[in-house]
Amino acid sequence: MITVYTMPNCVQCNWTKRILIDAGAEFLEVDLSVDADALEHLRALGYAQAPVVVAGAQSWAGFRPDRLRSLAQ
């Protein structure tokens, strides 16, 4: 399962979702502006920017088209 943690009006978040949608990948989107628990959890893990993508044991922050495409395959 792929989870994408996003913020409103985040260009990198929108591009991340677009790549996953175009690849036909299923994912869960979590809006950090309305989910304070998720935001605190990511901060505790050391993340300071959106999007944060979590897929199994992999996770990263920022727009990473190379990693997104490999997930969708």
Side-chain angles (χ1 to χ4, degrees):
M1 178 60 162
I2 301 169
T3 304
V4 182
Y5 296 90
T6 64
M7 293 292 286
N9 302 316
C10 168
V11 174
Q12 291 186 357
C13 300
N14 292 337
W15 276 107
T16 295
K17 293 185 293 183
R18 174 56 45 207
I19 286 178
L20 291 171
I21 291 167
D22 288 350
E26 292 186 25
F27 64 94
L28 171 66
E29 180 180 2
V30 178
D31 183 343
L32 295 171
S33 70
V34 297
D35 191 334
D37 291 336
L39 178 59
E40 189 58 37
H41 174 70
L42 293 178
R43 283 185 178 158
L45 294 175
Y47 291 109
Q49 74 176 49
V52 174
V53 178
V54 177
Q58 299 182 62
S59 64
W60 67 87
F63 179 57
R64 296 288 309 268
D66 55 329
R67 294 183 87 176
L68 292 167
R69 288 189 183 101
S70 71
L71 278 182
Q73 293 177 349

